[in-house]
């Protein structure tokens, strides 16, 4: 028997929810056990951001991350994919309001990039984060979805991986 | 590129915009179930679950079949729903990011308390 209760589900664990909203939007919600300024600090300090943005399960290594996190500033992330190629993601910050709101563009897909809005709202000693992605058009969102819609399972999941990678918020 | 009719995608998205309906799909991904079983599992009335299943069925995400007096539900025709798979993959991506973020936030909180 394991004395440490690692496997016990934590009843207070915060869940991430994802909901399609209108035909052009997707909304992600998550609560954090900290005041908004701490969550904001973890989002906007490059050294910290680098530590959580790339899930360990993904076949990606972050080569570099440069960001000027203020209204009008920009960012650029460069990844190594499977050790075979590099991918860059970049965009501009439309709005950065300390502790409450960050809005940025995703320009790597040209005109088709989504606009991502993160809002932080304090409730007691917790913070509700709402991340909202707005696609430029219904067609773009549909294309993103449809690209995973093949019957060949192996191919489907490879494409799903690609979609997830290119949909980096 | 597989061509989707927009109407079908819209119906799928409307169907997926409800947490119970997403749960029903996850459940049916594991095993077929009767409406009664689903209603019990999600603590709903039979009528409420029938409505949800109806929405999913119209979107082509679920297929039902009446055997005797029991209506069995399974995942919709011919394929894993691309929309569901996509949304679930997307949720997992954010979920794993935010678990890492939790750790960093705890560190930051500890540092503040030390000062």
């Amino acid at each position: 028997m394991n004395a440490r209760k690692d496997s016990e589900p934590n009843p207070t664990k915060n869940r991430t929810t994802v909901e399609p909203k209108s035909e052009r939007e997707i909304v992600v919600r998550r609560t954090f056990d900290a005041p908004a300024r701490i969550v904001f600090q973890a989002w906007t300090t490059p050294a910290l951001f680098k530590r959580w943005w790339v899930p360990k399960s993904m076949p990606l290594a972050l080569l570099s991350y440069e960001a000027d996190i203020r209204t009008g500033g920009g960012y650029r992330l460069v990844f190594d994919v499977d050790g075979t190629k590099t991918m860059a993601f970049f965009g501009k910050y439309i709005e950065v309001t300390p502790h409450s709101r960050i809005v940025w563009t995703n320009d790597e897909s040209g005109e088709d990039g989504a606009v991502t809005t993160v809002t932080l709202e304090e409730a007691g000693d917790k913070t509700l984060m709402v991340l909202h992605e707005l696609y430029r058009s219904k067609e773009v969102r549909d294309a993103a979805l449809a690209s995973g819609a093949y019957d060949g399972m192996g191919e489907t999941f490879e494409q799903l991986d690609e979609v997830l990678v290119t949909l980096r918020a | 590129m597989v061509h989707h009719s927009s109407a079908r995608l819209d119906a799928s998205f409307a169907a997926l915009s409800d947490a119970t309906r997403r749960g029903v799909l996850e459940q049916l991904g594991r095993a077929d179930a009767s409406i009664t079983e689903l209603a019990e599992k999600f603590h709903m009335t039979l009528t409420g679950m029938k409505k949800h299943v109806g929405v999913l069925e119209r979107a082509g995400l679920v297929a039902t079949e009446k055997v005797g007096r029991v209506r069995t539900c399974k995942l919709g025709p011919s394929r894993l729903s691309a929309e569901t798979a996509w949304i679930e993959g997307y949720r997992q991506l954010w979920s794993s990011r935010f678990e890492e973020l939790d750790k960093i936030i705890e560190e930051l909180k500890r540092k503040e308390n030390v000062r």
Side-chain angles (χ1 to χ4, degrees):
Chain A
M1 281 302 285
N2 187 346
R4 288 181 56 219
K5 298 183 178 177
D6 282 348
S7 58
E8 271 198 9
N10 176 352
T12 60
K13 198 169 177 328
N14 294 315
R15 272 200 85 237
T16 301
T17 63
V18 173
E19 285 173 47
K21 206 174 150 195
S22 73
E23 55 190 28
R24 294 171 54 209
E25 299 162 276
I26 292 184
V27 180
V28 181
R29 285 189 179 82
R30 176 64 142 75
T31 297
F32 294 93
D33 301 326
R37 65 187 156 73
I38 297 235
V39 181
F40 187 85
Q41 189 186 347
W43 268 92
T44 56
T45 308
L48 296 174
F49 179 89
K50 274 159 104 163
R51 288 176 47 199
W52 64 269
W53 188 254
V54 188
K56 290 179 176 62
S57 60
M58 286 179 88
L60 291 174
L62 187 56
L63 296 176
S64 67
Y65 172 53
E66 293 150 25
D68 177 13
I69 308 172
R70 58 193 168 91
T71 302
Y75 70 91
R76 186 179 182 86
L77 286 143
V78 181
F79 290 97
D80 171 282
V81 187
D82 291 329
T84 55
K85 56 179 190 274
T86 58
M87 278 171 91
F89 297 98
F90 51 91
K92 288 183 282 302
Y93 292 103
I94 296 173
E95 184 193 334
V96 178
T97 304
H99 316 334
S100 67
R101 201 171 144 88
I102 315 171
V103 185
W104 70 86
T105 62
N106 298 271
D107 295 341
E108 60 279 346
S109 30
E111 289 297 291
D112 287 344
V115 173
T116 311
T117 301
V118 171
T119 56
L120 301 173
E121 196 181 324
E122 265 181 28
D125 55 358
K126 294 178 186 285
T127 297
L128 170 65
M129 187 225 66
V130 178
L131 182 140
H132 173 271
E133 291 220 293
L134 177 65
Y135 289 84
R136 306 266 162 148
S137 73
K138 184 174 171 311
E139 289 66 33
V140 172
R141 191 208 65 185
D142 289 1
L145 289 171
S147 64
Y150 290 83
D151 279 345
M153 292 308 289
E155 192 181 14
T156 298
F157 286 113
E158 274 173 24
Q159 289 187 347
L160 186 57
D161 287 341
E162 281 177 19
V163 170
L164 288 176
V165 171
T166 53
L167 272 168
R168 188 209 57 75
Chain B
M1 189 67 130
V2 176
H3 180 74
H4 277 274
S5 81
S6 297
R8 203 189 65 75
L9 262 180
D10 286 349
S12 302
F13 263 88
L16 290 170
S17 65
D18 176 274
T20 302
R21 291 198 289 265
R22 291 195 298 272
V24 167
L25 287 174
E26 277 169 38
Q27 190 61 33
L28 294 178
R30 288 190 284 271
D32 296 356
S34 71
I35 297 219
T36 313
E37 285 165 346
L38 290 171
E40 280 168 12
K41 184 141 193 87
F42 292 90
H43 313 294
M44 292 186 74
T45 62
L46 208 53
T47 314
M49 186 48 77
K50 273 182 184 153
K51 275 186 192 161
H52 279 312
V53 168
V55 172
L56 289 166
E57 198 171 13
R58 282 190 293 279
L61 295 168
V62 163
T64 68
E65 191 185 1
K66 201 156 182 167
V67 181
R69 280 171 28 191
V70 180
R71 186 168 282 281
T72 301
C73 310
K74 57 180 184 208
L75 284 183
S78 81
R79 58 176 189 85
L80 173 75
S81 153
E83 296 86 341
T84 318
W86 186 87
I87 290 200
E88 183 49 27
Y90 188 77
R91 196 189 67 78
Q92 283 171 9
L93 167 68
W94 283 106
S95 184
S96 49
R97 275 178 178 164
F98 293 150
E99 276 168 32
E100 288 301 314
L101 182 52
D102 280 338
K103 292 176 198 164
I104 292 163
I105 283 169
E106 285 309 312
E107 277 175 34
L108 292 174
K109 272 162 68 175
R110 274 202 303 275
K111 276 185 193 158
E112 281 206 350
N113 293 334
V114 167
R115 265 183 232 148

